[in-house]
Amino acid sequence: ETNQLLQRAQGPQARARVAMSQLVKLLRLDVVFYPADGDLLGEPLYESAGAEDHRTSLFTEYERAVATWTFNNNKHAGASTLPEAQCLYLAVRAGNEVFGVVGIDLKGRVLEAFEHSIVLSIVGECALALESDKAAREREEAAVLAKNEQLRANLLRSIGHDLRTPLTSIIGYLELLAGNTKIPLDMQHKYIEIAYGKARRLEKLIEDLFG
């Protein structure tokens, strides 16, 4: 069920919410989720198991510090090892990459072996879904970069063609004038005027590009 819900969810936050809801459904305990934001943890998400909102007691600096330790060390911590902590924190990881930290407000409870196994399965499924999400984003970004690079190459070819056309004409007329002293004066003036017009066109193209 968790796997199917995760596959249908769109985006990292929606997938984190699915995992949280499944944990609440299983344990009847409040759950928090700190998504990874680069090398840090982002703003936490919260899912309540009842009518009361316990964010005030769960979103403390101490609780965040324990979650951060879990994130940095890729190991569980909290209520099972630190008496002052309210939540048991588990790294949401696939391989060596941690995509976030989930916290379960145990309220003094100890998870049974079966519950613990199911929790790890749900957290693991969430990590795989988030890993898939990241891979899809990277593929999209790579496709956009490739498309932009192709557009850039096409633009440069177009600009090169537009610049070379008048420049080739200018060089041709100047070479004609420089290499042939027998050209009548009126034709020389005509060639100079044409070359001048091409040069002004080239100047306008450059101004349009960089001005």
Side-chain angles (χ1 to χ4, degrees):
E1 179 186 31
T2 300
N3 181 270
Q4 291 174 357
L5 292 171
L6 285 168
Q7 293 305 316
R8 287 200 293 268
Q10 299 295 316
Q13 187 172 122
R15 292 184 171 181
R17 287 284 185 191
V18 166
M20 294 169 71
S21 296
Q22 292 298 91
L23 290 171
V24 169
K25 181 179 175 182
L26 170 71
L27 302 171
R28 299 290 188 268
L29 296 171
D30 293 2
V31 174
V32 297
F33 186 99
Y34 289 87
D37 185 8
D39 294 330
L40 302 172
L41 288 179
E43 290 303 308
L45 307 174
Y46 173 72
E47 193 83 21
S48 175
E52 294 184 34
D53 190 315
H54 298 108
R55 265 179 275 211
T56 304
S57 61
L58 298 179
F59 289 1
T60 65
E61 288 299 317
Y62 182 78
E63 293 292 321
R64 187 180 184 91
V66 179
T68 300
W69 187 93
T70 300
F71 177 68
N72 291 332
N73 293 276
N74 199 357
K75 295 179 180 179
H76 72 271
S80 61
T81 55
L82 299 170
E84 301 89 349
Q86 280 195 231
C87 288
L88 168 65
Y89 292 99
L90 303 166
V92 182
R93 66 188 180 193
N96 291 323
E97 186 166 7
V98 182
F99 294 94
V101 173
V102 65
I104 302 167
D105 183 9
L106 293 181
K107 303 187 190 317
R109 270 183 55 185
V110 175
L111 295 182
E112 296 177 5
F114 175 74
E115 288 177 323
H116 188 72
S117 296
I118 299 297
V119 166
L120 292 181
S121 294
I122 292 173
V123 171
E125 289 289 343
C126 180
L128 291 174
L130 292 174
E131 183 182 44
S132 174
D133 222 34
K134 181 185 177 184
R137 287 198 307 274
E138 289 175 347
R139 286 195 298 271
E140 289 174 5
E141 289 168 3
V144 169
L145 286 174
K147 185 177 180 181
N148 288 342
E149 186 59 32
Q150 184 61 49
L151 289 173
R152 176 178 172 276
N154 292 342
L155 178 61
L156 288 175
R157 277 197 295 271
S158 176
I159 291 171
H161 177 268
D162 288 345
L163 293 177
R164 276 196 302 271
T165 300
L167 186 59
T168 300
S169 294
I170 292 168
I171 292 171
Y173 282 111
L174 292 178
E175 286 178 346
L176 187 62
L177 289 169
N180 191 343
T181 56
K182 297 180 180 180
I183 298 175
L185 189 60
D186 60 332
M187 291 301 295
Q188 292 181 30
H189 289 162
K190 181 178 179 181
Y191 292 161
I192 290 170
E193 286 178 5
I194 293 172
Y196 178 74
K198 300 288 185 182
R200 291 305 301 270
R201 181 188 168 197
L202 185 60
E203 180 184 42
K204 180 67 167 56
L205 283 171
I206 293 171
E207 286 179 353
D208 290 344
L209 284 172
F210 303 107

